[in-house]
Amino acid sequence: MMKRILKTGGWVLVGLFVIYTFYFLWKQSQPAPVVYELVTPEQRDIQQRTIATGALEARTQVELKPQITGVVSSLHVQPGQQIKAGDLVAVIRVIPDMSQLTMAQSDVEAARISLDEIQREADRTQRLFEKGVVSKEENEQFQNKLAAAKDKLSAARAQVEVITKGSSVRAGSVNTTEVRSTMNGIVLNVPVKVGTSVSGSSAFSQGTTIATVADMKDVIFRGNIDETEVAKLHTGMEVTLTPGSMQEVKIPAVLDYIAPEGTLQNGAKVFELKATATIPQGVEIRSGYSVNASIILSEDKQALSIDETCVEFEDNKPFVFRLTSSETDVENQQWERIPVELGISDGIYVVVKSGVSKDDRLRGIQK
């Protein structure tokens, strides 16, 4: 009797184990419920922006060049130094051009010979005038010729001094051997050293740059924007500049120039932009800082908006899914498809003009 009971109990346990095994396998084969995050529409300030890349630079920037050809004998400035208009930047030691010097010396000799001849004629005419042989008018003509000959000799000698020394007594305070600043500002660059040969600026040559001076109190943004965005811009728009080296600094600016003609860069048409920047107190800006310019194209304040992940499209028509079941019944979510009308987007949130309310719960990304 006891053996029969034990045998029966064993078979019962085996049967229960088989049943549990089948139930476990069935349970495992069932698909997991698809659960989505719930998104609630909220009122936000939405701004649509575009980004232009470029750099900061001084609005006024000049390159100081010598007026003569020679060698730099001394430099009086260095990069980063503040200077004023008229400050001495460099002194050039003249290296005479032999052909010019020879011609100038020939001109001096010719002017001296001419002066000697006219001097003799003027002296003779003066004596004859005193004796009453020639008229006053004729005497004055020779005296005028004498004055002109003296002036011509003085000019020829001054030309020799300019060629050999860079200046002359006749020129007064004008000194072509000195390079002086033409504006107040900061020295950005001094590309030459003492002993460097330099050429003077003329109608046929740009000349060698001795130093670059800029007014860093008046800074502008200069950059480019793609042709797909330029039609949305106009002068007077607010711009926020973020230097690449100082991500925490935000510099306000105002767009004041949009190029009327584009240029081709890397296979794309771009247009130049300029914006006047207002440098915050305590922020030191260096010329050439690379910056990103964020420009507000449109803005919608306190507009009802949703996460862009909620929006789907069919035939270019947007729609969302609204929850129709209980929020607490996570494993059995039921949805209703709702067409919506969208407004501007900032890349994360998009304005919803119609179709949903702030009390709705919308389908987000799948968990």
Side-chain angles (χ1 to χ4, degrees):
M1 186 67 178
M2 189 64 182
K3 291 182 180 181
R4 184 179 297 177
I5 294 174
L6 292 174
K7 186 177 181 179
T8 302
W11 283 110
V12 170
L13 291 175
V14 171
L16 291 175
F17 177 77
V18 171
I19 293 172
Y20 174 78
T21 300
F22 277 103
Y23 174 78
F24 176 79
L25 294 175
W26 174 82
K27 190 71 176 177
Q28 289 293 104
S29 65
Q30 296 300 308
V34 179
V35 179
Y36 293 91
E37 291 185 354
L38 298 181
V39 176
T40 302
E42 296 182 17
Q43 289 183 316
R44 301 181 178 89
D45 293 340
I46 304 297
Q47 296 177 336
Q48 189 176 28
R49 296 172 176 264
T50 186
I51 301 295
T53 58
L56 291 175
E57 60 183 47
R59 185 188 302 275
T60 305
Q61 180 172 309
V62 297
E63 294 181 346
L64 304 179
K65 302 175 183 291
Q67 299 178 32
I68 59 173
T69 297
V71 174
V72 179
S73 62
S74 63
L75 287 170
H76 299 267
V77 296
Q78 58 185 355
Q81 180 179 337
Q82 290 282 350
I83 61 174
K84 297 180 180 180
D87 285 353
L88 182 63
V89 173
V91 176
I92 309 300
R93 185 176 78 251
V94 179
I95 299 179
D97 184 283
M98 295 311 297
S99 61
Q100 291 183 355
L101 180 59
T102 301
M103 291 180 62
Q105 290 173 336
S106 297
D107 291 341
V108 170
E109 184 64 18
R112 186 187 62 78
I113 294 173
S114 176
L115 175 62
D116 290 343
E117 293 179 357
I118 295 175
Q119 182 72 59
R120 287 193 296 270
E121 291 292 332
D123 291 343
R124 186 177 64 83
T125 305
Q126 179 66 30
R127 289 193 299 270
L128 292 176
F129 170 71
E130 292 173 353
K131 294 179 181 180
V133 178
V134 297
S135 64
K136 180 180 179 181
E137 290 78 8
E138 187 176 353
N139 181 55
E140 288 179 348
Q141 289 178 359
F142 273 98
Q143 294 301 322
N144 290 337
K145 288 181 179 180
L146 178 61
K150 289 180 179 179
D151 185 70
K152 186 175 181 180
L153 177 60
S154 175
R157 287 172 173 169
Q159 182 63 23
V160 172
E161 290 182 359
V162 170
I163 293 174
T164 56
K165 301 178 181 178
S167 62
S168 68
V169 176
R170 181 184 176 92
S173 60
V174 178
N175 191 337
T176 58
T177 63
E178 296 180 347
V179 180
R180 295 183 177 272
S181 176
T182 57
M183 61 175 290
N184 299 337
I186 186 172
V187 179
L188 298 182
N189 186 27
V190 181
V192 298
K193 298 180 180 180
V194 173
T196 302
S197 297
V198 295
S199 60
S201 58
S202 65
F204 307 100
S205 172
Q206 293 185 354
T208 305
T209 299
I210 301 296
T212 303
V213 180
D215 180 10
M216 293 307 296
K217 295 180 180 179
D218 185 9
V219 177
I220 65 170
F221 162 79
R222 186 194 298 269
N224 296 308
I225 193 166
D226 189 84
E227 63 179 333
T228 58
E229 300 285 349
V230 71
K232 304 174 184 177
L233 304 181
H234 60 81
T235 56
M237 299 180 76
E238 294 183 359
V239 182
T240 301
L241 307 176
T242 305
S245 59
M246 298 182 293
Q247 293 290 326
E248 72 283 357
V249 174
K250 304 299 179 184
I251 302 173
V254 177
L255 187 64
D256 50 26
Y257 173 79
I258 304 171
E261 182 179 11
T263 58
L264 194 63
Q265 290 187 6
N266 299 323
K269 250 326 196 281
V270 296
F271 289 78
E272 184 183 37
L273 303 178
K274 294 180 184 178
T276 301
T278 302
I279 308 302
Q281 189 71 23
V283 176
E284 182 180 1
I285 295 298
R286 300 181 185 275
S287 182
Y289 269 166
S290 60
V291 296
N292 288 329
S294 177
I295 307 172
I296 300 176
L297 301 177
S298 57
E299 186 176 19
D300 203 340
K301 293 184 175 294
Q302 290 301 298
L304 191 66
S305 60
I306 60 175
D307 195 303
E308 283 199 345
T309 58
C310 297
V311 182
E312 298 183 28
F313 290 87
E314 184 176 321
D315 297 330
N316 292 325
K317 295 180 179 180
F319 61 89
V320 297
F321 286 96
R322 179 168 57 195
L323 183 69
T324 57
S325 59
S326 173
E327 293 184 36
T328 57
D329 190 3
V330 177
E331 295 187 356
N332 296 290
Q333 293 176 330
Q334 300 295 320
W335 307 98
E336 175 186 14
R337 176 169 162 167
I338 304 294
V340 292
E341 181 183 358
L342 302 179
I344 64 174
S345 169
D346 63 3
I348 300 176
Y349 300 104
V350 60
V351 173
V352 181
K353 295 183 176 180
S354 64
V356 299
S357 69
K358 61 182 179 179
D359 297 325
D360 292 335
R361 299 294 179 267
L362 306 180
R363 191 173 80 178
I365 62 176
Q366 184 177 338
K367 292 184 177 180

